[in-house]
Amino acid sequence: MQKLVLVLWPSFWVAVVAEALFFTVINPAEFYLFGAQVEFSPIATYSIGFVGFWAICAASSLATLFYMRTPQEINHLPPRPHHGAHMH
C-alpha cells in the first residue's frame, strides 16, 4: 500500500499542475484531436485530460520506483546486514 501511495499521490499533484497549464493555453471548446474537433463537453474534456495526465505521471513515478529497487529486492535475497553493526 505504501508503494501505491508513493506512486499515486505525487503523480496526482503533478497531473493537477499539468492540467492547469495545458488548459490555460488550450480551450476545450476549440480542441482538435487527430484532425477532428472534440465533441465532448468542456467538463468531460477536462476530466479525460486529467485522467490522461495522471496516468502518464503515474507511469513515470512507477518507473522511478521500479528502477530504485536494490539487487536484494530484484533477486529476492534476504536483506544485507548494515556495515558497522555489532554481531554478538
Side-chain angles (χ1 to χ4, degrees):
M1 182 66 170
Q2 181 183 7
K3 289 186 179 184
L4 186 64
V5 171
L6 287 174
V7 168
L8 293 180
W9 189 241
S11 62
F12 173 84
W13 287 111
V14 174
V16 166
V17 172
E19 169 102 0
L21 293 175
F22 183 81
F23 285 112
T24 297
V25 177
I26 304 296
N27 181 356
E30 300 173 359
F31 189 63
Y32 285 82
L33 188 62
F34 303 117
Q37 186 171 11
V38 174
E39 298 294 331
F40 298 122
S41 70
I43 294 297
T45 305
Y46 291 136
S47 300
I48 292 167
F50 176 76
V51 170
F53 282 124
W54 196 4
I56 291 168
C57 295
S60 173
S61 294
L62 188 61
T64 300
L65 197 61
F66 177 79
Y67 288 116
M68 287 182 60
R69 295 180 303 163
T70 65
Q72 289 74 25
E73 291 172 324
I74 293 170
N75 296 314
H76 305 289
L77 299 173
R80 299 172 89 187
H82 296 292
H83 295 290
H86 292 86
M87 300 285 232
H88 290 92

